[in-house]
Amino acid sequence: MTAIWGILNVTPDSFSDGGRFMDPDTAIARARMLRAQGAAIIDVGGESTRPGASRVPVEEEQRRVLPVVEALSADGIPVSIDTLNAGTAAAAARAGARIVNDVSGGLADDGMLAAVAASDADFVIGHWRGPSGDMYARAQYGRAAREVANELRARVSAAASAGIAPSRLILDPGIGFAKAGEQNWEVLRGLDEIIALGHRVLVGTSRKRFLAEALGVDGSDAGGDAEHRRDLATAVTSVLAARAGAWAVRVHDVAATRDALAVVSAWDGE
Ligand code: PMM
């Protein structure tokens, strides 16, 4: 059964839920709700990676996320820390995070692989070609899924050389990262090429722009009907990712994806 990761962005500017969970108590209450809805992991992030987002000072990122990571971990809730910074990864692992989720797969911070190697945490390697500010300039592909798989394989080698055991690695195709519109669908269509690398695969499509484009809705209507439609689309991509063999999906609306996956289980007679 595909696991559900519930997104908890403790940021003022994430593209769909920015600003809602800045206060630690609100963030913790939200995480508990996502957990009750069926999230296996709560993915805590303190820096938005949306297209065009500017970087947050590492002290500010840690001020946002560490109290939340600590409180959830103390409560027995499995936490992953969504960060590009080695210092934040190390501090969050000390505070109890079980997984470091780096959308850059260690490319954004030279110290990341060593920091993860020195911890007990598992490591999500996201497919990435450069910072959010100009990532679309790097969205040039021949065969998108093949290239993503090859570039992930190179990061797996780098992680292994840094001393991270392969069993600790989770691969993520980095939907929306250095990929425009149709390229995201090409990668998802070829997800088996990434799964064939032999690691757990996490897929994050939730509320992303390429879904809004497929629906023909305006992505700016956060909290309104457009958001609801993107959540429904996300539940569908979660089902398709599960069918394709994904180990986990990372979503904002945990309840919708839980229900969608329950229907799949019923269909399959599980
Ligand atoms: N996407 C975002 C942030 N973190 N982590 C992983 N592993 N995979 C993703 O696709 C991913 C991520 C950007 O989306 P958000 O602003 O909704 O968190």
Side-chain angles (χ1 to χ4, degrees):
M1 176 76 170
T2 302
I4 303 172
W5 285 31
I7 299 170
L8 184 62
N9 284 320
V10 194
T11 55
D13 61 348
S14 271
F15 89 95
S16 71
D17 58 357
R20 291 191 205 165
F21 310 115
M22 277 297 283
D23 160 58
D25 290 340
T26 315
I28 289 159
R30 168 77 179 172
R32 290 193 178 131
M33 194 186 88
L34 294 175
R35 193 69 182 141
Q37 290 176 339
I41 306 273
I42 302 299
D43 188 39
V44 179
E47 178 178 28
S48 173
T49 49
R50 71 181 172 155
S54 50
R55 295 299 306 267
V56 171
V58 67
E59 300 76 22
E60 169 64 12
E61 180 195 34
Q62 294 185 17
R63 192 186 65 73
R64 293 175 185 176
V65 297
L66 293 180
V68 177
V69 170
E70 205 167 280
L72 296 182
S73 301
D75 219 27
I77 297 177
V79 169
S80 102
I81 177 71
D82 186 345
T83 186
L84 297 168
N85 295 310
T88 303
R94 280 195 299 275
R98 298 188 193 175
I99 301 174
V100 172
N101 172 23
D102 180 354
V103 298
S104 83
L107 286 170
D109 185 332
D110 288 345
M112 180 61 88
L113 298 180
V116 174
S119 78
D120 290 333
D122 285 356
F123 186 48
V124 176
I125 293 180
H127 176 259
W128 192 80
R129 285 185 170 178
S132 292
D134 59 352
M135 65 181 168
Y136 290 125
R138 299 184 181 86
Q140 315 282 345
Y141 297 88
R143 293 181 57 190
R146 176 68 49 89
E147 287 175 44
V148 167
N150 287 342
E151 289 166 36
L152 285 172
R153 190 188 290 114
R155 298 312 299 156
V156 166
S157 298
S161 302
I164 306 172
S167 60
R168 293 169 64 194
L169 299 177
I170 299 159
L171 304 184
D172 185 319
I175 295 304
F177 292 94
K179 293 164 201 81
E182 172 60 21
Q183 292 165 341
N184 294 291
W185 295 110
E186 283 175 33
V187 171
L188 291 170
R189 227 173 271 135
L191 200 62
D192 54 330
E193 299 202 45
I194 294 158
I195 289 171
L197 297 175
H199 298 273
R200 292 170 285 174
V201 171
L202 169 67
V203 177
T205 60
S206 192
R207 296 184 183 167
K208 285 186 178 169
R209 182 184 299 174
F210 80 114
L211 291 181
E213 287 169 3
L215 300 176
V217 297
D218 176 358
S220 64
D221 181 24
D225 183 54
E227 182 172 293
H228 174 73
R229 294 176 66 188
R230 280 182 294 150
D231 282 332
L232 182 57
T234 301
V236 176
T237 51
S238 294
V239 163
L240 295 170
R243 273 273 192 260
W247 166 76
V249 290
R250 177 184 178 278
V251 301
H252 299 84
D253 183 349
V254 168
T257 279
R258 172 204 62 200
D259 289 348
L261 293 177
V263 171
V264 174
S265 293
W267 179 289
D268 290 344
E270 286 171 355

